[in-house]
Amino acid sequence: MSLRFPWKPPAPSVTAPGQHRCANGSPRAEQSHQQPLVTQAMAASKLHRSMESSRSPDGFQGKAVSPRNQLVAEAEEPGTLTPSAFLKEMSLTTQQRLATARDTRRPHVVQLLDMSETSHQKDAHSCIPPLTDALHLQFSAVDLDQSLFQPFPSEVVFQSYVPCEVYEVPLVLRNNDMVPRLVKVVLESSPYFKLISPTDVCRKVAPGMPSTFHILFTPEENKDYFHELTCITEREKFIVPIRAIGARAILDFPDQLNFSVCPVKHSTQRTLLVRNIGNREARYHISTQSPFSVDPSVGTLGIGDTMQVTVEFHPLKTGDHSSSLQVHYDTGEDVHTSLYGAAVDVNIRLDRNSLTIEKTYLTLANRRSVVIHNRSEIIAHFQWKAFVTQEEEDQHKLRLCGRLQQQEEGQIDRFIEECAVDPTLRERLTVLSCIFHNKRAKVQGDSMLFSDNIFTVEPVEGDIWPNSSAEINVIFEPREARVYQQTIFCDISGRETRLPLRIKGEGEGPRLRFSFDQLDVGKVFVGSAHSYEAVLFNKGAIDALFHLMPPTTALGSCFTFLPREGILMPDELQVIHISFSSTILGQFSEEFRFSVYGSPEPVTLTIR
């Protein structure tokens, strides 16, 4: 849409350089007459505007006036709104809100127009001679990213109104250009809003001078209303929004909430008594970010009602933490409360960093204890873990879930092959997926407490009251006769890093011994039979299960042992009968081995 004004350009005439023609066609000097005319025009326009602003159109009493000084600013994102600022803003009247407005934003241009179609006319009602050629009017000193007219206010806002009363806000459009310009304001038909234009609306506005329009608002109820004004200049169309702010819920949260210094890995709570001091039921959604949390997060609160809101601070790292508690109303406003907190390590420690358990026989158990001292003012919750950090735990969970995913894919492939033979099995595919889904969920929800077949920690999880201590038992149950070493970690409230505990224990097997290590049979005849006896003792504290390891030499097969295997109770002995009949001449030295279950070394007997 373009503006067309009832003005026809004059017939071309020859004019000396540096001259313009007046309205009656006579040439005039550019330097000698142009400046006085501009001065007269600006003075006349200022006088006219001053007289006009002293009265309201159609007899309405003006409820708000525009400020004298206006600062044009770039369009910016709205800043965070604190609860006190929101309360102050919602408590203003329409007149107070306009009086506090200082900055304006560039309007939203919706369409650019062709200036050649709108700037070649002269105001038919103006007695001021043209200042420049018609060609010069097609160009403007105002950049394209700005509008020829700057509106104030940038958004027409009504608030704190009573139904069925009439409210009025002026809209000032100031000419930003160096030449007079035309402007037109259009308001679509509305039962609630009405536009009153100035009496000289058909005249051009002098450079730097304003043109004031008035918007009347008659609400039917205390609710939100939205509308817009379309401003049409010779170069563009831009929009000035109209917004009427109805009833609002206002929850009286504080602007800041400081948790001060708190123990790390410990929950510190602050309970707020919040009241709805607005004139509308509050439908809210409260959110924040870790390490802060809030409860409740969603709900409603009636006018004048109160509720308790609990804000929790649970830092996992030492140092300063800050975030924002955002309250989102169903009417679109977001209000922010600043949250602060500092996390520190407190005096919680183990009485030792390493624990050595005495030698322990297989199938038996031994124990030692370590003490956790809590010298703080908090209840310390502890858990014994196998990983040094939470990150390593999470990586381990990912590996387990990856293995389950591979197993699921392999079973699904085999299941599809079976379905090709028996299509009725397809119904069980959902069951298979559900099983693996539950397995992955179990892995993700696992607290990953320390669990081992050799070392057992009791209790593996618990609480320690302030200024108290707790004794932790470490039970050692070896399965083999060897040295066991492991490091476990105590994840406890009040300490950022997990407290390490190195555990060492040695397993000891059965202790079987012969009454002698070597049997000297002397000289014997070939083919003659000889008998001997050896006594096997169990000097340990556990049962010993033994058996003869078969000899690997020809001479070794000439010996017979009875019994070849058996079990000895602690402090018990067993007589081993040895029979020998040699078929080989010469000296010999034969070593026989008896394997003992649970012992890394066999019991040996040398015969020569």
Side-chain angles (χ1 to χ4, degrees):
M1 176 179 178
S2 61
L3 287 179
R4 298 185 180 274
F5 301 96
W7 179 80
K8 191 174 183 180
S13 60
V14 179
T15 305
Q19 291 184 339
H20 289 280
R21 291 194 172 272
C22 297
N24 57 8
S26 60
R28 56 185 175 90
E30 181 179 6
Q31 299 297 332
S32 61
H33 296 285
Q34 182 173 344
Q35 184 63 31
L37 289 174
V38 173
T39 305
Q40 294 173 12
M42 293 180 64
S45 179
K46 180 181 294 185
L47 177 62
H48 180 77
R49 302 299 180 190
S50 175
M51 295 178 61
E52 180 189 39
S53 61
S54 64
R55 63 181 184 273
S56 299
D58 298 340
F60 285 100
Q61 181 66 32
K63 294 185 181 243
V65 295
S66 60
R68 296 179 180 177
N69 298 325
Q70 302 153 13
L71 174 63
V72 179
E74 296 288 344
E76 298 177 353
E77 292 294 330
T80 56
L81 190 65
T82 62
S84 63
F86 179 60
L87 173 61
K88 181 179 179 181
E89 182 179 307
M90 291 298 103
S91 301
L92 297 175
T93 63
T94 301
Q95 180 180 2
Q96 291 170 339
R97 180 168 184 137
L98 182 59
T100 57
R102 287 294 179 266
D103 296 346
T104 61
R105 297 185 303 272
R106 293 177 180 173
H108 174 55
V109 177
V110 296
Q111 183 181 357
L112 292 176
L113 305 178
D114 186 359
M115 292 185 66
S116 63
E117 299 179 4
T118 59
S119 296
H120 285 180
Q121 298 93 6
K122 184 183 72 173
D123 189 347
H125 303 282
S126 176
C127 61
I128 304 175
L131 303 181
T132 58
D133 293 329
L135 181 60
H136 293 169
L137 290 175
Q138 298 183 31
F139 301 95
S140 172
V142 182
D143 294 337
L144 283 176
D145 59 348
Q146 300 182 29
S147 57
L148 294 181
F149 283 80
Q150 174 62 45
F152 180 85
S154 301
E155 180 185 31
V156 178
V157 178
F158 297 90
Q159 67 179 56
S160 301
Y161 44 80
V162 178
C164 301
E165 288 195 10
V166 180
Y167 296 86
E168 174 187 334
V169 169
L171 175 65
V172 179
L173 298 175
R174 188 177 301 275
N175 184 1
N176 290 333
D177 208 348
M178 304 297 294
V179 295
R181 294 294 183 186
L182 284 168
V183 63
K184 179 181 179 183
V185 179
V186 178
L187 175 70
E188 292 187 5
S189 176
S190 169
Y192 311 110
F193 298 98
K194 181 180 179 182
L195 175 66
I196 298 180
S197 301
T199 55
D200 58 348
V201 66
C202 295
R203 296 186 178 182
K204 289 187 177 182
V205 181
M209 299 303 294
S211 179
T212 304
F213 297 78
H214 294 265
I215 296 92
L216 302 183
F217 172 51
T218 307
E220 288 187 353
E221 53 184 307
N222 194 7
K223 69 174 186 178
D224 290 358
Y225 295 86
F226 299 94
H227 208 44
E228 64 182 19
L229 293 165
T230 302
C231 300
I232 309 172
T233 70
E234 301 171 26
R235 191 178 68 178
E236 70 267 321
K237 289 183 183 179
F238 60 86
I239 300 299
V240 176
I242 302 176
R243 182 164 59 102
I245 303 175
R248 284 295 184 269
I250 304 175
L251 301 180
D252 60 346
F253 279 91
D255 289 350
Q256 296 182 358
L257 185 59
N258 194 341
F259 285 84
S260 188
V261 179
C262 303
V264 70
K265 289 185 179 178
H266 176 73
S267 294
T268 304
Q269 295 181 343
R270 296 284 188 271
T271 300
L272 306 176
L273 187 63
V274 179
R275 181 168 176 260
N276 183 4
I277 59 177
N279 54 359
R280 172 191 173 103
E281 181 186 53
R283 297 181 178 88
Y284 60 86
H285 179 270
I286 310 175
S287 61
T288 186
Q289 294 179 344
S290 180
F292 300 94
S293 60
V294 62
D295 182 64
S297 59
V298 180
T300 59
L301 187 65
I303 302 174
D305 293 345
T306 58
M307 66 175 180
Q308 286 187 346
V309 177
T310 301
V311 184
E312 183 176 332
F313 177 46
H314 188 87
L316 300 180
K317 302 290 183 181
T318 56
D320 296 332
H321 300 268
S322 63
S323 186
S324 175
L325 183 73
Q326 177 177 301
V327 182
H328 176 74
Y329 295 95
D330 65 328
T331 49
E333 295 85 4
D334 291 325
V335 178
H336 299 263
T337 294
S338 299
L339 303 178
Y340 303 95
V344 296
D345 283 327
V346 295
N347 188 7
I348 298 177
R349 60 182 179 83
L350 301 178
D351 68 335
R352 65 188 71 186
N353 295 327
S354 61
L355 195 65
T356 301
I357 303 176
E358 297 176 353
K359 287 185 177 182
T360 304
Y361 286 104
L362 306 185
T363 71
L364 297 185
N366 206 345
R367 73 172 60 195
R368 287 200 64 185
S369 62
V370 62
V371 179
I372 305 176
H373 296 292
N374 180 11
R375 297 293 180 259
S376 69
E377 301 300 323
I378 66 171
I379 298 177
H381 182 75
F382 68 88
Q383 292 179 322
W384 288 97
K385 302 292 189 79
F387 297 95
V388 64
T389 63
Q390 183 65 43
E391 288 74 16
E392 288 190 9
E393 275 189 22
D394 296 338
Q395 290 295 328
H396 181 66
K397 288 183 179 181
L398 288 176
R399 288 192 294 268
L400 293 178
C401 291
R403 294 172 189 171
L404 290 174
Q405 182 70 26
Q406 292 177 357
Q407 294 177 11
E408 180 181 8
E409 292 174 356
Q411 293 196 20
I412 288 177
D413 291 341
R414 291 192 296 269
F415 194 80
I416 292 176
E417 293 177 358
E418 295 177 0
C419 290
V421 180
D422 186 1
T424 59
L425 296 177
R426 292 184 178 274
E427 299 178 357
R428 301 181 184 179
L429 185 60
T430 305
V431 177
L432 180 63
S433 299
C434 183
I435 291 174
F436 279 95
H437 174 77
N438 293 336
K439 287 182 178 180
R440 285 191 294 269
K442 185 178 180 180
V443 170
Q444 292 293 344
D446 190 0
S447 57
M448 304 296 289
L449 298 177
F450 174 74
S451 178
D452 189 71
N453 295 328
I454 306 301
F455 294 104
T456 304
V457 179
E458 293 181 352
V460 71
E461 182 178 11
D463 295 317
I464 307 175
W465 289 90
N467 298 305
S468 302
S469 301
E471 185 178 68
I472 307 298
N473 293 317
V474 180
I475 302 171
F476 176 48
E477 297 178 280
R479 301 294 178 88
E480 299 177 7
R482 65 179 183 88
V483 176
Y484 292 88
Q485 290 183 341
Q486 190 164 2
T487 301
I488 61 177
F489 304 91
C490 182
D491 188 11
I492 189 167
S493 307
R495 295 297 297 268
E496 177 181 358
T497 58
R498 298 178 178 181
L499 307 179
L501 177 64
R502 293 180 292 275
I503 306 174
K504 181 179 180 181
E506 183 177 353
E508 187 172 8
R511 297 174 60 186
L512 287 184
R513 297 292 184 271
F514 278 103
S515 55
F516 46 82
D517 295 334
Q518 185 173 297
L519 175 61
D520 192 350
V521 298
K523 294 181 179 181
V524 295
F525 291 100
V526 174
S528 61
H530 301 272
S531 298
Y532 310 96
E533 289 183 350
V535 180
L536 189 61
F537 292 91
N538 184 359
K539 296 183 178 181
I542 59 174
D543 296 346
L545 181 65
F546 67 92
H547 71 276
L548 176 65
M549 300 175 66
T552 58
T553 63
L555 187 61
S557 60
C558 298
F559 289 86
T560 303
F561 292 82
L562 292 175
R564 297 175 58 88
E565 59 184 22
I567 183 171
L568 288 178
M569 306 293 288
D571 297 327
E572 194 177 41
L573 57 85
Q574 174 69 55
V575 177
I576 305 296
H577 299 278
I578 305 172
S579 301
F580 173 57
S581 178
S582 177
T583 58
I584 302 175
L585 293 174
Q587 295 182 351
F588 65 90
S589 178
E590 197 72 26
E591 183 181 78
F592 297 92
R593 298 183 177 187
F594 285 81
S595 175
V596 182
Y597 178 77
S599 178
E601 297 294 335
V603 180
T604 60
L605 176 62
T606 302
I607 302 177
R608 63 179 185 176

